[in-house]
Amino acid sequence: MLDVIRAAGTISRAGLIEATGFTGATISTVVRRLIEDGLVRETGRAESTGGKPRVLLQLNQSACYAVGVHLDHAGIAYVLTDLAGSVVARMTRAGVGEDEPPAVVTRIAEEVRSLIEGAGIDTDRLLGLGLVAPGPLSAVGGMRLTPPSMRHWEDFPLDHALQQATGLPVVLDNDATAAALGEYWSGAVTGTSSFAAVYMYTGIGTGLLINGITYAGSSGNAGEIGHVCLDTAGPHCWCGARGCTESLAGPAAVVAAAREDAQLVRAAGLSDAHRPPSLAAEFAAIARAARRGEPAAHALLERSARYLAVAARTLANLMDLELLVLTGPSLAMADSIYLPAIQEELDRTFFARAAHPVTVRLSSLAATAPAIGAATMVLQSELVPLHQGLRLPDNLAAAAEESSSRVSG
Amino acid sequence: MLDVIRAAGTISRAGLIEATGFTGATISTVVRRLIEDGLVRETGRAESTGGKPRVLLQLNQSACYAVGVHLDHAGIAYVLTDLAGSVVARMTRAGVGEDEPPAVVTRIAEEVRSLIEGAGIDTDRLLGLGLVAPGPLSAVGGMRLTPPSMRHWEDFPLDHALQQATGLPVVLDNDATAAALGEYWSGAVTGTSSFAAVYMYTGIGTGLLINGITYAGSSGNAGEIGHVCLDTAGPHCWCGARGCTESLAGPAAVVAAAREDAQLVRAAGLSDAHRPPSLAAEFAAIARAARRGEPAAHALLERSARYLAVAARTLANLMDLELLVLTGPSLAMADSIYLPAIQEELDRTFFARAAHPVTVRLSSLAATAPAIGAATMVLQSELVPLHQGLRLPDNLAAAAEESSSRVSG
């Protein structure tokens, strides 16, 4: 219900009945409770269309907030969003690198504190913290089967440690899934509620949204487009299989191939070995070289894009997709190569192309979508129980009510 | 609601409240309407557990029926199911072969009539007819982008022609999707409501069920595992792409490879060229030869199974599956080769194997699952509107009521 109100901006009770299919009595009850809890407020009347003017409802955006954290080897992005998923504050800090997990958790807690203080938000209004990261995660516990660069995070009880350090409820999920949710909540994707977001940073993943709800699979690990097989006799992948998209076309494969070309290493400035090289920075350097017209850099990214295009077609054929959003820093850096390659492949070989095309486009918020998605996961996981007759925790209800009366009073 | 009652066998109103999360008032209203419509009846009381004994509800199975038709190049399977999806009558007739669509529709209408008459069911109790077929279908209209053997069906207005010929509402869908639904409704799959059914007959497809509901994609064409790319430099497929599962490992590829081996052609009895060879029959002959220990036949199926296993892993990695059911006549004929190959591949290389395994098993109703699924699609599409406050058509309501009072009276 909150999601319908959020998506509509303002909506009448009659509009809610139409949008949800619930009865008037049910809508009445739920709206009354949402207003009591301070999450929704009445906001004037719609123009009369013959009958009496209808009272409009809208989210009380400042009723509560959520923190979204996108953790990666190369960087940690933070956002603070309000109840509508709008970004109130954001910041980016150094990646986790080789640091030990407990030290990173301590740092995250401090950085979250400064994010909240900087925004001037009362901590009573915080619903919780969503943290998203690459690779398989279990909903409780931490990361599983991590990529090589984050192997030391495996089996670290991330949710528990973060909850202890921040005092906030913690939700964990995959960064690609969060990216899809971020696209949807931020209003960047409209007109369809089912799509896939292909996310590339240091790895490649996909977030799947079906009717506005993330499809996570049986253990939260759906959408592993980086581990789609493109060549049964291809190179061995760290995941245990052969010929995976990631091993043929991922940033690590692109950077490894570039490092074999001495001229390209010089041209792209890859040889700066003073400090441990960062995969994300090296991929970005190759993308910049390609944009400057360096043919070897262009050819490597073209090859990567063609493989990713075939993997995208496999995904589109299995899910019968209408829309594919390209997101994540690495795709955003090289969209002029990846986007046309993927669109061309789908136009030519998508199985159901006689029924409909698959539209491919670049996200307008490629860098922050996962962190926004992480925050909206908190909103969803903490607010959905309200539908089932549960109430807000007392501190939140009090804070929300106060905020509501302040705004409307 | 009907699905919950069906799955439970018998259930009290309190049980329904628990299972659906709806309020007591909503359950009361809906159950009263279902009883008035004759779809559900009261059936004694549960043993008291302290409070007063609870009235149990169950489906009035004989309130209405649906016809399921599974149309394929090689055979047409018919089933008649009751409201609970239980098969009341079944039969199999010749495939569509090279026949012209209008002639096939006329024949289907006659065969459906004899199915219904044979079962002694009043046509007033028929909700409709579900027809499923290989390859992309549009919900209205007919087949699109058909496999070569059924190219002449493209753009034939199948639903309209069938509706005219049978006088029944018609629902069209993909055979693999129907197979998954058939597995679920027939009770063959329990303990999970999300799984994929890999279906192989003359083509290869997958039906996806998420929380008991088929995932059809944006145009009903999800699950095209036959058109997952396993080798970007592989053979050209009829779909326009290269290296598809179907072109490397499908029945047509297996039969074509067998025909190049003169000794195997003799051993498997493939050389009977008196009439146009049927792909399904030829694949079956190779499967029988493999079972007799013919090494060349065994090697061909092993190769096919290894490719299908890699495609199954791609599907499992994208959907994060827990269960894969192998179904369809071709997989049922050669399960001793396909099942272990797919299970071994998933045990070894499924991406999230550290989180959970993927169980692979053979359907116990591989030949009839698509037809059962076709019939249950009718039950779903015709009965779901009841949830939204619509009523049964008068003829059905009268028939159902009569049946209900006869059973309970």
Side-chain angles (χ1 to χ4, degrees), chain A residues 17 32 88 119 122-123 126 157 159 170 182 201 223 238 249 257-258 276 298 303 326 333 373 378 396 403:
Chain A
I17 293 171
R32 190 184 327 119
V88 174
D122 186 344
T123 51
L126 283 175
D159 57 343
V170 170
Y201 193 12
W238 62 265
H298 201 276
R303 181 175 178 276
L326 306 185
M333 293 251 10
V378 174
L396 276 169
S403 135

Side-chain angles (χ1 to χ4, degrees), chain B residues 72-100:
Chain B
D72 196 278
H73 190 255
I76 304 182
Y78 297 88
V79 300
L80 182 69
T81 74
D82 64 20
L83 179 59
S86 301
V87 175
V88 174
R90 74 182 76 208
M91 67 190 210
T92 306
R93 293 292 179 269
V96 298
E98 305 298 314
D99 298 351
E100 284 306 309

Side-chain angles (χ1 to χ4, degrees), chain B residues 355-374:
Chain B
H356 63 88
V358 185
T359 304
V360 184
R361 60 180 185 66
L362 183 73
S363 164
S364 52
L365 37 88
T368 45
I372 296 174

Side-chain angles (χ1 to χ4, degrees), chain B residues 18-203:
Chain B
E18 204 174 313
T20 62
F22 288 125
T23 63
T26 304
I27 294 287
S28 257
T29 310
V30 175
V31 166
R32 191 186 324 120
R33 192 184 304 145
L34 292 173
I35 291 176
E36 280 169 17
D37 276 342
L39 298 175
V40 164
R41 57 197 176 84
E42 297 185 334
T43 173
R45 288 167 189 275
E47 297 236 335
S48 172
T49 55
K52 69 170 184 177
R54 288 162 169 179
V55 176
L56 290 175
L57 304 164
Q58 70 174 33
L59 282 192
N60 178 17
Q61 299 209 359
S62 57
C64 45
Y65 296 84
V67 176
V69 181
H70 177 208
L71 181 148
D72 196 278
H73 190 255
I76 304 182
Y78 297 88
V79 300
L80 182 69
T81 74
D82 64 20
L83 179 59
S86 301
V87 175
V88 174
R90 74 182 76 208
M91 67 190 210
T92 306
R93 293 292 179 269
V96 298
E98 305 298 314
D99 298 351
E100 284 306 309
V104 174
V105 165
T106 306
R107 172 157 72 87
I108 289 176
E110 282 161 18
E111 290 171 351
V112 165
R113 208 165 296 128
S114 85
L115 177 82
I116 297 163
E117 283 173 12
I121 299 298
D122 187 345
T123 52
D124 273 358
R125 294 190 199 278
L126 283 176
L127 273 176
L129 179 150
L131 181 137
V132 299
L137 288 159
S138 62
V140 286
M143 303 182 204
R144 295 274 182 283
L145 205 76
T146 52
S149 60
M150 296 184 69
R151 193 59 47 86
H152 57 299
W153 284 78
E154 216 161 282
D155 294 327
F156 175 72
L158 183 56
D159 57 345
H160 185 253
L162 263 177
Q163 194 153 348
Q164 288 274 311
T166 62
L168 293 170
V170 170
V171 179
L172 298 183
D173 216 312
N174 184 285
D175 53 5
T177 301
L181 202 58
E183 293 286 332
Y184 180 66
W185 269 65
S186 64
V189 167
T190 52
T192 179
S193 53
S194 299
F195 71 98
V198 175
Y199 179 84
M200 188 163 93
Y201 194 12
T202 56

Side-chain angles (χ1 to χ4, degrees), chain A residues 244-272:
Chain A
C244 291
T245 313
E246 204 163 295
S247 69
L248 287 163
V254 170
V255 169
R259 287 209 159 271
E260 307 226 321
D261 179 341
Q263 203 256 315
L264 176 57
V265 166
R266 276 192 305 277
L270 295 185
S271 46
D272 172 26

